[in-house]
Amino acid sequence: MKILVANLGSTSLKWRLFDFAVGQERLLHKGGFERVADYAQAIEDCLAELKRSGAIQHESELAAVGFKTIMARGINGCVRLDQQVLQAMEFYNQIAPAHNPPYVTGIRLFARRMPDTPLIGLFETAFYQWAPEAAMRYAVPQAWHELGVRRWGFHGASHKFIAERSAELLGREDVALRVRQLYVDGGRSPVRQPELRVISCHLGGSSSVTGILNGVAIGNSLGMSPQSGLPQNNRVGDLDAFALPFLMRTARLTLDEAERVLCQESGLKALSGGANDIRDIQAQAAQGDPRAQLALDTLVHQARHWIGAFHLELNGADALVFTAGIGENQTRIRQAICAQLEQLGIALDSAANDRVRAQESVISTPASRVKVMVIPTNEELVVAREAKRLLENSKN
Ligand code: ADP
């Protein structure tokens, strides 16, 4: 069964094609286009490239196209992307302005181009459906809560991948199985004692930290929108709600302008004075630019803040996992996040940390009570697996 997973940005289209046979998962092709001006043409070019590579002869071989969709009103989990779901996504366009509109547009174009192929979305909020309510609640009136003003949590595909893979690497097949079954039975599969406690740090263009107990998320640093939590590349991260009315009244900012700045001119970009890629910020800091150093320090501080929160909630941790572009590759950021945590049982092995880039590895000392690990994430595989499951279940 071949499943294409499409990652849609406002000006980019990236994809991975997976082939599932009995007991086997294979990546057949991956590719992408940046600076896309004509999205319909980009879809055409993607299909042409899949055919040219020999991965498919014809698009009718695709059992489904899967999407890592962000959020929709009243809809969670893994679903067929029909008109009703797309409208529910549009309802939250303003909460996820960098994500939902390009997804809705792109999915409609896929539907037009491939009307007979199932289009399936795995919502990024799906992994947090079983988090304790107190962890997901804002202290707002009930009517606001019902409109969606609550913590949702995002990066669900990535943190779910880490939940499963870390359990496998830690020899806890019982927990890995529980994660695999999570969207089927809501975490009812039994697990052995002791409890498995994992803190997953997805640090990349956007970043979040999640606590995972026996394979199930207990919360996430991202709140109502993908602009919250840690400072993101150009999106704000956590901000006191009263800043907005203050700026609108005092600095005479319009709502549209405030929204644009919070989504495009904030985060690491604002702190560093313009750069939003960690490599550029590090180069600037190495030249002695204090703003760039502050951007790095703030990211590290916020990551530690959330790691601390989940460490407490989990009553300790068995593993602290780093993933995504920064988490997998940035040795100095990992070093800074793990500095002086010996009392919490976290002791990084500096030599191992310096060596490891984008490969599965333990980077803590043998004496460290908490295993610090690097695990490259694979969000697209999680989407493809769930899409496959949905197709199989809808046949039965
Ligand atoms: P996105 O969240 O957009 O998918 P990534 O997970 O690729 O992005 O993370 C992007 C961030 O990771 C950037 O700040 C970039 O500097 C950093 N990064 C990505 N790859 C590397 C690498 N090979 N070495 C160092 N830093 C990297």
Side-chain angles (χ1 to χ4, degrees), residues 241-255:
F242 273 74
L244 199 53
F246 168 78
L247 284 165
M248 291 175 69
R249 293 201 183 99
T250 309
R252 303 255 171 245
L253 224 58
T254 65
L255 192 52

Side-chain angles (χ1 to χ4, degrees), residues 105-117:
T105 306
I107 290 162
R108 289 211 163 106
L109 290 170
F110 267 98
R112 199 175 307 158
R113 175 64 180 77
M114 306 170 69
D116 300 324
T117 308

Side-chain angles (χ1 to χ4, degrees), residues 293-336:
Q293 190 56 52
L294 179 65
L296 298 173
D297 293 347
T298 307
L299 178 66
V300 167
H301 180 273
Q302 283 293 307
R304 284 168 66 94
H305 174 91
W306 281 99
I307 291 168
F310 290 122
H311 191 268
L312 188 106
E313 287 291 328
L314 291 166
N315 190 17
D318 300 293
L320 171 64
V321 182
F322 288 101
T323 196
I326 296 172
E328 291 167 27
N329 296 292
Q330 286 290 345
T331 60
R332 275 174 289 170
I333 300 276
R334 294 196 301 242
Q335 179 97 41

Side-chain angles (χ1 to χ4, degrees), residues 202-206 233 276-279 324-326 329-330 379:
H202 176 115
L203 306 177
S206 62
N233 57 356
N276 69 14
D277 186 295
I278 285 287
R279 287 169 283 200
I326 296 172
N329 296 292
Q330 286 290 345
E379 300 165 276

Side-chain angles (χ1 to χ4, degrees), residues 329-332 334-335 348-357 363:
N329 296 292
Q330 286 290 345
T331 60
R332 275 174 289 170
R334 294 196 301 242
Q335 179 97 41
L348 205 64
D349 175 337
S350 295
N353 180 49
D354 287 348
R355 251 192 333 265
V356 172
R357 283 183 183 73
I363 55 170

